Amino acid sequence: MFYRLSRGDDASWAPTYFLAALGAGGLAVSFFMWLMFWLPHPGAPVPLFGDALSALVGEGLLIKLAVVGAWVGIAMFSVLHIHLLVWNLRQYARFRSTADYRELRNSNSETQLLAGPLTVAMSINVGFVVGLTFVPGLWSVVEWLFPLALLAFVLVGYWALALLRDFWGRVLVGGGFDCVRNNNLGQLMPAFASAMIAVGLAAPAAMSQNTVTVAFSLVLSSFFMVLAFIIGGIQIVLGFRAMLEQGADPSTAPSLWIVVPILTTLSITLLRQTHGLHGHFESGAGGVEAMTMLIIFLCAQLVFGLLGWVVLSRYGYFSRFVTGPEKSAGAYALVCPGVALTVMLHFFINVGLVGFGVLDRFSTGYWALTIIALGLQGVTIWLVLRLNRLHFGDFERDRTEEPL
């Protein structure tokens, strides 16, 4: 699982390798869903270290196993996330001085650079999850941490906007965007990055007791959420137009599933904003609107999931780039939809069905649906392990096979 990665120049590195770190971070967050929805946490809107300890003492065997499993999963995939993030940042720093980088900055693929701020935004979310899970007494100082978190996400947002400024400034003023080669949804990477920044900025709106902090959270998260919707709408139309004319690009076909994580992050952003508006501004927001939004977004994810499955299957993508020997950094785009749909199912079941009285928590129907989320999480974990072995195992083998 943890491989000794290349420390020197790697000609095969591409910005999409940031998605390897992103997927590991997403899996850490997916294990936090176990604590979020299965543990009682009356003192805070999110489960804390003390709530997990109380569950280990007072809850049944199943919940105790869930706590231990969540702790192991969060710890393991958080470490893997940081391990891969540091490697990618080092490779990115070297990549910036190469001719390939200069060529990238003048092509459609320039938007791949948004994978950097996307992954760093996930790192902030992972850090918050790790703090809630393993740091005793964190909630007593959380109101001091929220402004720092907002600042961190704003800085990441500035990085993303600077990259978008260069790209949109270049193509809208000088032209040069190759619509023929835009036969994929890879141009949604900026929308994904914007949505990830938005969901992080929206967290204080759902959890802070300070009205000023909540107001800043609402405004800042709304900006990046709207940016994600605008970019997403434009690029989906352009991407499908090119695919209908040229056919989807086999090497970037997994980008058809990028809509799935975008919708998950946007749905959680809207839920967090709704909670903040209801709690601080007596807006009356929430109710059936939240349930309707979860249903619509989940159905949209399933539509894009089925569409992507048809294309990927016809190209034989899985047998080539997942179970086969061929390598493509774009294969890591398959991890994000698995994580996103897992998290979305947990929210749909617990916030939607249980929250509105359709299901009783821990009933037979509840576990029947939850098993689907757990099964998808298990498949995603296998995918991460398989791709890491395929892409990074060579570094380890090369090191062990060096002559003495």
Side-chain angles (χ1 to χ4, degrees):
M1 180 174 175
F2 294 93
Y3 295 98
R4 184 181 293 274
L5 304 177
S6 171
R7 293 182 177 273
D9 293 334
D10 182 6
S12 65
W13 186 87
T16 44
Y17 269 117
F18 272 110
L19 298 180
L22 179 71
L27 280 172
V29 174
S30 73
F31 277 99
F32 187 71
M33 296 296 101
W34 298 12
L35 305 178
M36 180 74 181
F37 295 120
W38 298 350
L39 298 188
H41 43 91
V46 288
L48 307 175
F49 176 74
D51 297 318
L53 285 183
S54 298
L56 288 176
V57 174
E59 297 292 336
L61 178 61
L62 185 61
I63 299 302
K64 291 178 180 178
L65 292 174
V67 170
V68 174
W71 277 354
V72 172
I74 292 170
M76 182 171 61
F77 285 104
S78 295
V79 173
L80 179 60
H81 168 73
I82 297 300
H83 180 59
L84 291 171
L85 175 65
V86 171
W87 176 74
N88 274 288
L89 290 174
R90 287 175 174 169
Q91 293 294 335
Y92 177 59
R94 297 186 179 99
F95 181 67
R96 285 168 59 90
S97 63
T98 65
D100 289 338
Y101 174 77
R102 293 187 290 273
E103 181 181 349
L104 181 73
R105 293 304 296 261
N106 290 283
S107 69
N108 286 17
S109 300
E110 184 177 7
T111 52
Q112 290 182 6
L113 296 174
L114 271 294
L118 165 64
T119 306
V120 173
M122 172 61 83
S123 299
I124 301 173
N125 290 320
V126 169
F128 194 68
V129 164
V130 170
L132 292 174
T133 304
F134 297 113
V135 179
L138 182 69
W139 200 252
S140 63
V141 296
V142 75
E143 291 296 344
W144 295 95
L145 297 178
F146 284 140
L148 296 176
L150 289 175
L151 176 60
F153 279 111
V154 166
L155 292 175
V156 176
Y158 176 80
W159 179 15
L161 290 174
L163 292 172
L164 282 176
R165 175 201 62 202
D166 294 342
F167 174 74
W168 286 108
R170 175 175 63 82
V171 299
L172 292 179
V173 174
F177 186 80
D178 191 346
C179 291
V180 174
R181 299 185 64 184
N182 189 42
N183 53 340
N184 56 71
L185 293 184
Q187 292 298 321
L188 287 177
M189 188 71 77
F192 192 7
S194 299
M196 185 65 71
I197 295 167
V199 75
L201 286 168
M207 292 182 276
S208 176
Q209 299 300 312
N210 187 299
T211 302
V212 174
T213 301
V214 170
F216 272 97
S217 173
L218 289 169
V219 172
L220 292 170
S221 61
S222 294
F223 173 83
F224 283 97
M225 180 177 64
V226 170
L227 179 63
F229 274 118
I230 292 174
I231 294 175
I234 293 172
Q235 295 298 347
I236 285 177
V237 172
L238 292 177
F240 269 95
R241 183 182 184 278
M243 284 188 286
L244 290 173
E245 290 182 349
Q246 309 294 327
D249 182 354
S251 64
T252 57
S255 65
L256 287 167
W257 279 352
I258 197 174
V259 176
V260 176
I262 291 174
L263 290 177
T264 292
T265 49
L266 290 177
S267 65
I268 297 174
T269 300
L270 288 168
L271 287 173
R272 288 173 169 179
Q273 290 185 338
T274 298
H275 186 82
L277 288 168
H278 179 66
H280 290 268
F281 302 102
E282 299 180 357
S283 66
V288 71
E289 291 86 354
M291 179 67 168
T292 303
M293 183 268 293
L294 287 170
I295 292 174
I296 292 174
F297 278 28
L298 178 59
C299 289
Q301 288 177 312
L302 295 177
V303 168
F304 275 94
L306 293 172
L307 180 62
W309 180 267
V310 169
V311 175
L312 289 165
S313 298
R314 292 204 173 191
Y315 278 135
Y317 189 92
F318 301 102
S319 60
R320 292 177 57 191
F321 298 105
V322 177
T323 59
E326 295 184 64
K327 296 181 183 180
S328 172
Y332 277 100
L334 298 172
V335 176
C336 302
V339 171
L341 196 53
T342 297
V343 172
M344 188 66 167
L345 285 172
H346 279 295
F347 272 90
F348 175 70
I349 294 167
N350 292 277
V351 177
L353 299 181
V354 174
F356 292 98
V358 180
L359 285 178
D360 292 327
R361 180 174 276 110
F362 303 149
S363 64
T364 302
Y366 177 92
W367 286 118
L369 292 175
T370 300
I371 285 174
I372 299 174
L374 296 178
L376 186 57
Q377 185 181 22
V379 171
T380 307
I381 291 171
W382 171 85
L383 179 61
V384 167
L385 298 178
R386 167 60 189 168
L387 290 177
N388 284 356
R389 181 180 179 183
L390 177 65
H391 287 261
F392 305 129
D394 287 344
F395 296 139
E396 185 73 15
R397 285 190 291 271
D398 292 344
R399 184 181 67 87
T400 58
E401 292 173 4
E402 289 178 354
L404 297 177

